[in-house]
Amino acid sequence: MDDVAKDAERGSADRKRINLALQGGGAHGAFAWGVLDRLLEDEGIEIEGVSATSAGSVNAVVLADGLAKGGRAGARAALESFWRQISTAGELWPLRPTPWERALGDESLRYNPAYLGFDMLTRLLSPYQLNPINHHPLRAILEGHVDFAALRAGCPVRLFLGATNVRTGKVKIFDSSEVSVDAVLASTCLPFLFQAVEIDGEAYWDGGYMGNPAIFPLIYECDSRDVVIVHINPIERPEVPFTAAEIINRINEISFNSSLMREMRAIAFVTKLIDGGHLQGTNLKRMLIHSIEGEDVMRGLGVASKLNPAWEFLQRLFELGRARTDDWLARHRAQLGVESTVDVRAKYL
């Protein structure tokens, strides 16, 4: 074997193949953008599958389209272009923070009278009354960035986008062959803001209610045992909420984390059986769970900041995601393919 072939073989052996689980969280999805940017920068990391919900689904399809069109560099450029356009579009949003409000910090929108009035309005009127023409500003941006037909024909990663079936209450997973702008909008459909998205006669809301994100597609459909969960919603908060806004925010966090916690309990149970030798001869595999998060920072961000399109805010979350991923790679790269880097019982059970 010549030196070139040896180097190619060695490079392939050194490459770590992982699956990603991307949570949703509105503008906080810029943290996941930073995570993806740092992973794409690393030639030693290969992404096999992505299970995602809400803002995570948006990141996932932009990532896949960028990879298909221009490889790693194309994906990084596509993600930056997308988030820049989100920020630019946000400048036309009537609830955007003013310069004075931005000086108050990440929670600036919380004190915006227009935001407070809009928040109250969404609790009195449904999106069918507030938005009868069913305009969704994200549709045009997605259609301008992603070639969905090309992704359905040949996607460079395995996509699994989660939505919640309004009628049945069950999770719906749109895979690579079903990915469309409507599937992404279904995955991001917050029922207080947007009308349910109809696909093939079924109505869908945000996937976070039933899987934020769903882990089971990565277990059943992907070869890699490594699942890297990119956390957006804090699992723990040391303080008990007192204000109405804080209580609602905490209820949303618990609700949107509940399905993930249940799946982690099942994974922990199966792992215990495998380690105990009780499942010999089965095709069940021992999953390796990892986590990249900025929970210490995210705890300080309330629900209002999920609607903050200011570029400096998005850029801060992006840089935080990159930094946390850089640290995670430095500490845990060697453990990929070998063992979990998260104590599942301590973190999720």
Side-chain angles (χ1 to χ4, degrees), residues 23-36:
Q23 283 196 323
H28 295 182
F31 174 85
W33 163 35
V35 172
L36 294 173

Side-chain angles (χ1 to χ4, degrees), residues 48-313:
E48 180 186 5
V50 183
S51 181
T53 294
S54 202
S57 293
V58 173
N59 276 323
V61 296
V62 175
L63 164 75
D65 188 71
L67 284 171
K69 293 175 179 175
R72 292 172 180 269
R76 294 179 69 191
L79 284 162
E80 180 177 3
S81 175
F82 174 82
W83 281 98
R84 280 190 179 275
Q85 187 166 353
I86 288 293
S87 180
T88 300
E91 290 300 316
L92 303 176
W93 190 46
L95 304 185
R96 69 189 184 281
T98 64
W100 177 81
E101 288 168 330
R102 287 174 182 172
L104 295 175
D106 298 329
E107 284 297 276
S108 56
L109 279 175
R110 187 173 168 186
Y111 307 100
N112 185 314
Y115 169 78
L116 294 173
F118 179 75
D119 183 59
M120 180 64 69
L121 200 60
T122 61
R123 302 182 193 285
L124 297 175
L125 300 175
S126 82
Y128 297 88
Q129 298 167 300
L130 288 173
N131 184 15
I133 64 172
N134 201 20
H135 172 69
H136 200 309
L138 189 57
R139 178 181 292 275
I141 298 176
L142 282 169
E143 289 176 335
H145 276 81
V146 179
D147 186 339
F148 288 99
L151 286 184
R152 288 193 296 272
C155 190
V157 295
R158 296 182 178 182
L159 291 179
F160 308 97
L161 311 183
T164 301
N165 187 306
V166 178
R167 296 185 180 93
T168 69
K170 297 178 181 178
V171 64
K172 165 64 178 178
I173 301 297
F174 296 96
D175 65 22
S176 303
S177 67
E178 302 170 295
V179 66
S180 66
V181 66
D182 284 331
V184 179
L185 294 180
S187 183
T188 66
C189 181
L190 293 171
F192 291 108
L193 296 180
F194 302 107
Q195 296 181 24
V197 178
E198 296 275 348
I199 300 176
D200 296 332
E202 291 292 347
Y204 296 101
W205 282 340
D206 194 292
Y209 296 106
M210 293 305 297
N212 194 22
I215 305 299
F216 68 87
L218 301 175
I219 298 174
Y220 299 145
E221 303 295 335
C222 296
D223 295 326
S224 173
R225 296 188 299 150
D226 291 283
V227 175
V228 181
I229 303 170
V230 180
H231 284 280
I232 300 295
N233 300 291
I235 293 177
E236 295 185 9
R237 284 188 181 271
E239 305 87 7
V240 175
F242 286 100
T243 69
E246 289 171 346
I247 291 171
I248 292 171
N249 185 45
R250 188 56 183 153
I251 289 172
N252 287 335
E253 287 176 347
I254 292 172
S255 299
F256 274 42
N257 279 323
S258 62
S259 58
L260 177 63
M261 307 283 267
R262 288 194 298 272
E263 283 198 276
M264 288 297 106
R265 182 174 295 277
I267 288 172
F269 176 69
V270 173
T271 299
K272 183 177 180 180
L273 293 178
I274 292 174
D275 291 347
H278 302 295
L279 296 178
Q280 293 180 1
T282 70
N283 60 357
L284 294 176
K285 57 186 177 183
R286 192 183 196 281
M287 300 306 295
L288 307 178
I289 306 300
H290 316 275
S291 171
I292 299 176
E293 46 93 0
E295 191 153 318
D296 55 322
V297 175
M298 294 301 184
R299 286 194 197 105
L301 305 177
V303 66
S305 66
K306 293 181 179 181
L307 299 176
N308 188 347
W311 180 246
E312 58 267 32
F313 177 61

Side-chain angles (χ1 to χ4, degrees), residues 21-52:
L22 306 180
Q23 283 196 323
H28 295 182
F31 174 85
W33 163 35
V35 172
L36 294 173
D37 187 78
R38 180 62 186 87
L39 291 175
L40 288 165
E41 187 179 69
D42 193 317
E43 296 285 346
I45 298 294
E46 178 184 352
I47 300 170
E48 180 186 5
V50 183
S51 181

